[in-house]
């Protein structure tokens, strides 16, 4: 640890403190994530293991880079690239001033690019939220905190349904689905898209699982066997009163162009099978404006 | 389909595809070598005289064999598959004109598309045919085998007594074998030892057909109906230059075995005196302030690499060289799984006390590496494929797998294993029993098969790196499963319960177990979601319950 000069405490991660530090040799600024090792509990936290083994493989401009892992004094320290702020802090700094449409588009595109990269490498993030999206000084967005991430596609009996912060959790997982795929991240991406456009106002800020589902169905309509076959077979399924969308999307996301609303609606589909994936989302006409 | 045919004296050789649905080593429950166990199981009906000219008339099997209660039939439908019938067409022709003759099928037709193995079974009926009786004595079994060898070893087919027709007039190319009625049969038995029978020609098509129809490497089992045991298992191998090379190696084996036995003894002694091997995976002491683990330590010294950090996360694709390890002269000064690529700079992991850093580095770089192959999940199982004797003939060769009793087989297996992996300080049987223990633990905790397969994958990788020793093997086994669970969404409660059970079952303390967690991960270079092809072989074995 002598290699690094600890500067400030940045925050608290899922399993320990995060510090800003400077590499003594290169002068590079890094973020140090401290993991406490408690040898009489269950050893190294699984989130730390996941983060190390997944991030060692992921190298992409829109995914936070893990530089090094240091073990010292009963602690495990992960050395990450340093980013100025996260999306949440950025929202706060905007003081509800609308974000430039081009920036909204760029942030969303970077989010999808990062996701597409992860998904193509068979990694599910499973905890997308503004706090886990880092922004560097040049407004480069990076996916961070892979503590809940996992490789998918393997014939495991089930995945954990206790993933993703409630507000960004898709309805299938809220119903207790134990086998899911990239669609889980795409729902969160949709929620974040709306939140960026609304400068940090969460789209579905539910208080518990029921409330969360109610909020979703109020906006999207209650799913039934017709638009979501076998929905009632999900482990925690319970019938909800049939609701029909009453508020139009232009009221929900007033700052978004019609193309943007179209993309948002394709991401926020209750049936995971009907949800757009990251590859086709990147090809959506909403983004072609950037290239032109 | 005359009823009387069923009572005719017959013997059947039937080829049957049968292990095709067993993808593994063949010791699956489904692998009953004697599905054609009972008399009357199946027999080919002869075409009636009126149809003797219809050469395309397919042969059908008598109905009613299913009435036999004790027959174990895994794939009854296979016996009536069109392929099979077609394969017998040729044979049916040979039956023309023999009213009383019962059918003998030379079931060498292996044309089922999913064939991987075939089964040849000698079927006898219960009538007291002299020949049939005689084969029930062990002595005759031997002679049967001798005959078989003769059949297979003589190109001119002089002395086939296994199955023999009488009619020399029958065109050799169109017939397989055929069998006489009972009176003829007894006569035949008398004639059995007479070489150079005019019908020896008839054997030729049998072998020819066998050779051309069987795929290379298929196993053929010959079983006796009364004992259920295979009398002979052989397979047809193309005889070519490659094979010759292999033969040479096989022939050289006995010498190497003696050699390996020597190694075994000496290393055993070494193990006993030193207590543990130098290469083994060692635990971390969590409380020790001096513990300092830095990834990519070596990279800093490499001038080729621009940044020291990125190195850990570059996977060594090329030939990996494992640096030999230093004799650890102090407990806090050792290396773990130091590896270097041919590019010269990949260190997966290092564990040194700060003061000794410099010395270690220098030493390491001057050291010779040992070639380390990429992990192959099936490699360890190939060891038990066992001993075989290859009978090489001019045009093809046959392989016999030796049967050994359990204890001998185990010794032989461990010797082969040691010979092949001299750097692994663990016998194959111990490796298996550790895997079994992991399996028991997994069953207790209802851990799914993929998670367990992944744990096997970690464990075997550590083993094949030569990092296992008597002191750490239980911990490494336990911790492999622990890490695999953590990465597969098992909740804290389940992990905690697992740890409690693991402490009991493996008889190690939790502290010891957990102290191997990081060393394990870093020896695996934190590649904790191995690609599927490395896990699936283990997974399939677990699914089919054959580990």
């Amino acid at each position: 640890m002598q290699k690094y000069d600890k500067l400030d405490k940045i925050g608290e991660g899922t399993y320990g403190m995060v510090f800003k530090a400077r590499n003594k040799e290169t002068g590079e600024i890094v973020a140090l994530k401290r993991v406490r090792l408690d040898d009489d509990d269950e050893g190294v936290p699984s989130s730390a293991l996941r983060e190390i083994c997944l991030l060692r493989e992921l190298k992409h401009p829109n995914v936070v880079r893990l530089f090094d892992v240091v073990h010292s004094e009963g602690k495990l320290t992960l050395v990450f690239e340093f980013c100025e702020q996260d999306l949440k802090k950025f929202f706060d700094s905007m003081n509800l001033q609308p974000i430039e449409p081009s920036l909204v588009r760029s942030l969303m595109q970077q989010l999808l690019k990062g996701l597409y990269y992860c998904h193509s490498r068979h990694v599910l993030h499973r905890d997308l939220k503004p706090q886990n999206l880092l922004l560097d000084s040049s407004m480069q967005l990076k996916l961070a905190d892979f503590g809940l991430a996992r490789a998918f596609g393997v014939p495991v009996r089930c995945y954990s349904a206790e993933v993703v912060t409630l507000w960004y959790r898709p309805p299938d997982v809220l119903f207790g689905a134990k086998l899911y795929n990239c669609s889980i991240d795409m729902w969160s991406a949709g929620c974040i898209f709306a939140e960026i456009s609304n400068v940090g106002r969460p789209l579905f800020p539910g208080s518990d699982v029921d409330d969360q589902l109610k909020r979703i169905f109020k906006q999207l309509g209650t799913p039934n066997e017709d638009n979501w076959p076998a929905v009632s077979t999900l482990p925690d399924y319970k019938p909800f009163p049939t609701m029909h969308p009453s508020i139009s999307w232009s009221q929900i996301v007033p700052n978004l162009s019609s193309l943007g609303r179209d993309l948002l609606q394709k991401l926020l589909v209750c049936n995971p099978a009907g949800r757009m994936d990251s590859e086709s989302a990147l090809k959506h006409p909403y983004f072609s404006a950037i290239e032109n | 389909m005359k009823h009387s045919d069923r009572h005719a004296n017959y013997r059947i050789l039937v080829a049957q595809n049968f292990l095709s649905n067993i993808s593994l080593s063949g010791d699956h429950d489904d692998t009953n070598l004697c599905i054609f166990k009972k008399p009357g199981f199946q027999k080919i009906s002869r075409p009636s005289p009126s149809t003797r000219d219809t050469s395309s008339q397919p042969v059908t099997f008598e109905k009613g064999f299913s009435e036999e209660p004790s027959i174990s039939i895994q794939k009854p439908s296979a016996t009536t598959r069109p392929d099979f019938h077609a394969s017998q067409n040729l044979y049916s022709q040979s039956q023309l004109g023999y009213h009383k003759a019962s059918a003998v099928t030379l079931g060498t037709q292996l044309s089922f598309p999913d064939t991987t193995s075939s089964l040849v079974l000698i079927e006898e009926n219960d009538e007291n045919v002299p020949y049939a009786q005689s084969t029930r004595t062990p002595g005759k079994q031997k002679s049967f085998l001798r005959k078989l060898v003769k059949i297979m070893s003589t190109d001119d087919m002089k002395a086939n007594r296994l199955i023999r027709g009488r009619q020399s007039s029958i065109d050799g190319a169109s017939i397989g074998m055929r069998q006489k009625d009972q009176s003829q049969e007894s006569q035949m038995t008398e004639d059995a030892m007479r070489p150079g029978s005019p019908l020896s020609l008839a054997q030729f098509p049998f072998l020819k057909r066998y050779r051309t129809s069987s795929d290379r490497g298929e196993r053929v089992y010959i079983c006796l109906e009364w004992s259920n045991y295979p009398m002979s298992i052989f397979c047809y191998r193309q005889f070519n230059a490659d094979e010759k090379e292999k033969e040479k190696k096989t022939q050289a084996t006995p010498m190497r075995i003696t050699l390996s036995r020597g190694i075994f003894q000496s290393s055993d002694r070494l193990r006993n005196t030193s207590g543990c091997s130098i290469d083994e995976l060692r635990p971390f002491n969590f409380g020790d302030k001096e513990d300092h683990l830095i990834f990519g330590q070596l990279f800093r010294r490499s001038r080729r690499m621009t940044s020291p950090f990125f190195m850990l996360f570059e996977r060594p694709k090329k030939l990996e060289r494992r640096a030999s390890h230093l004799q650890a002269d102090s407990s806090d000064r050792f290396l773990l799984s130091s590896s270097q690529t041919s590019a010269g700079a990949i260190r997966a992991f290092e564990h040194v006390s700060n003061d000794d850093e410099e010395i270690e580095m220098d030493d390491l770089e001057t050291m010779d590496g040992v070639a380390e192959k990429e992990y192959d999940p099936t490699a360890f199982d190939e060891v038990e494929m066992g001993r075989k004797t290859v009978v090489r003939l001019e045009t093809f060769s046959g392989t016999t797998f030796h049967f050994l009793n359990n204890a001998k087989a185990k010794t032989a297996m461990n010797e082969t294993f040691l010979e092949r992996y001299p750097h692994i300080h663990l016998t194959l049987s111990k490796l298996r029993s550790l895997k079994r223990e992991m399996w028991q633990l997994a069953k207790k905790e209802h851990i799914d098969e993929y998670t367990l397969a992944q744990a096997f994958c970690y464990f075997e990788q550590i083993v094949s790196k030569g990092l296992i020793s008597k002191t750490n093997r239980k911990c490494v086994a336990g911790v492999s499963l622990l890490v695999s669970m953590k990465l597969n969404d098992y909740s804290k409660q389940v992990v905690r319960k697992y740890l409690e059970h693991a402490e009991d079952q493996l008889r190690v303390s939790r502290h010891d177990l957990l102290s191997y967690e990081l060393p394990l991960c870093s020896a695996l270079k934190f590649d904790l979601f191995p690609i599927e092809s490395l896990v699936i072989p283990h997974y399939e074995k677990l699914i089919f319950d054959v580990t």
Side-chain angles (χ1 to χ4, degrees), chain B residues 93-142:
Chain B
Q93 292 168 42
S94 71
Q95 298 298 320
L96 297 176
Y98 294 99
H99 265 288
K100 289 221 157 185
S102 53
V104 173
T105 58
L106 277 182
T108 50
Q109 176 59 33
L110 306 163
S111 60
F112 302 147
D114 52 346
T115 292
T116 55
S117 302
S118 61
L119 181 139
V120 174
L121 176 97
I122 293 169
E123 189 69 40
E124 291 169 310
N125 96 358
D126 273 332
E127 291 173 50
N128 291 335
V129 180
Y131 185 77
Q133 279 180 328
S134 67
T135 52
R136 289 175 195 197
T137 66
K140 289 293 177 180
Q141 259 187 57
K142 262 188 202 165

Side-chain angles (χ1 to χ4, degrees), chain B residues 272-330:
Chain B
N272 290 341
T273 49
S274 68
C276 61
S277 86
I278 301 150
D279 281 353
E280 70 180 299
L281 197 66
R282 294 179 195 219
F284 283 136
N285 185 352
F286 285 95
D288 192 348
K289 293 273 184 219
E290 291 297 299
D291 267 359
H292 193 182
L293 144 91
I294 299 182
F295 292 81
Q297 190 91 53
L298 191 75
F299 316 150
R300 228 182 302 160
R301 320 190 121 247
S302 165
R303 297 200 178 84
R304 285 189 216 176
M305 300 303 167
T306 46
S307 164
F309 298 115
F310 297 21
M311 292 308 304
L312 165 69
F313 307 105
E314 301 281 359
R315 246 204 239 171
K317 295 274 190 233
K318 294 175 189 171
L319 179 73
E320 222 175 81
R321 294 170 73 223
R322 206 186 69 220
S324 2
H325 292 266
L326 292 169
Q327 290 283 344
D329 50 356
S330 70

Side-chain angles (χ1 to χ4, degrees), chain B residues 315-487:
Chain B
R315 246 204 239 171
K317 295 274 190 233
K318 294 175 189 171
L319 179 73
E320 222 175 81
R321 294 170 73 223
R322 206 186 69 220
S324 2
H325 292 266
L326 292 169
Q327 290 283 344
D329 50 356
S330 70
S331 61
D332 59 347
R333 177 171 176 259
F334 57 84
L335 301 165
L336 272 162
S337 169
S338 44
S339 16
Q340 291 176 288
T341 56
S342 45
I346 294 208
R347 278 296 297 287
F349 187 81
E350 192 175 348
H351 181 196
V352 293
S353 77
N354 299 332
D355 308 351
D356 291 327
E357 216 173 285
E358 296 280 319
I359 311 155
E360 295 259 349
M361 294 301 165
D362 295 338
D363 284 353
L364 232 174
E365 275 169 359
T366 58
M367 257 182 246
D368 284 332
V370 183
E372 188 181 298
K373 282 183 200 163
E374 291 224 339
Y375 169 65
D376 171 10
T378 57
F380 289 162
D381 291 315
E382 278 164 17
V383 171
E384 70 166 334
M385 287 309 185
R387 288 161 190 271
K388 56 181 183 182
T389 302
V390 182
V391 179
R392 189 157 30 100
L393 306 169
E394 256 177 49
T395 48
F396 73 102
S397 60
T399 306
T400 314
F401 287 91
H402 291 198
F403 173 77
L404 292 171
N405 66 32
N406 285 344
K408 274 187 185 164
K410 188 176 149 187
T411 320
M413 178 179 82
N414 286 337
E415 273 174 7
T416 320
F417 183 71
L418 187 73
E419 182 190 1
R420 220 179 272 186
Y421 307 100
H423 63 291
I424 295 177
H425 300 282
L426 187 72
T427 60
L428 186 55
S429 47
K430 189 68 203 169
L431 174 82
R432 297 245 167 96
S433 85
L434 283 167
K435 277 166 76 178
R436 269 197 300 277
E437 277 194 69
M438 287 163 77
W439 198 0
Q440 281 162 14
L441 271 170
K443 275 182 183 160
K444 248 185 229 169
E445 303 298 324
H446 307 289
I447 295 166
D448 68 293
E449 287 84 4
Y450 193 88
T451 307
L452 181 60
Q454 195 172 291
F456 283 173
C457 186
Y458 298 158
F459 183 57
E460 289 197 354
Q461 280 184 74
I462 296 292
V463 170
S464 61
K465 281 172 200 282
L467 297 171
I468 208 83
S469 76
K470 202 164 188 166
T471 44
N472 70 12
R473 61 194 187 193
K474 281 190 177 256
C475 291
V476 173
V479 102
S480 297
L481 191 50
L482 174 71
V483 172
S484 186
M485 283 172 75
K486 281 186 181 177
L487 292 178

Side-chain angles (χ1 to χ4, degrees), chain A residues 3 12 40 104 124 206 222 260:
Chain A
K3 234 169 91 179
E12 202 112 0
D40 50 37
V104 173
L124 297 181
T222 312

Side-chain angles (χ1 to χ4, degrees), chain B residues 203-253:
Chain B
Q203 309 318 316
F204 190 68
F206 161 53
L207 289 170
K208 196 172 163 193
R209 244 171 36 176
Y210 171 59
R211 282 216 309 268
T212 49
S213 59
S214 66
D215 290 330
R216 249 194 289 171
E218 279 177 340
R219 272 168 288 171
V220 176
Y221 298 85
I222 294 190
C223 307
L224 274 184
E225 55 93 19
W226 59 273
S227 68
N228 289 11
Y229 291 114
M231 289 175 67
S232 175
I233 301 171
F234 53 92
C235 86
Y236 162 56
R237 308 289 300 261
Q238 189 89 39
F239 183 64
N240 55 27
D242 284 354
E243 212 56 42
K244 254 183 192 167
E245 280 303 307
K246 280 183 197 163
E247 297 292 324
K248 276 179 195 162
K249 281 177 195 163
T250 324
Q251 280 159 9
T253 308

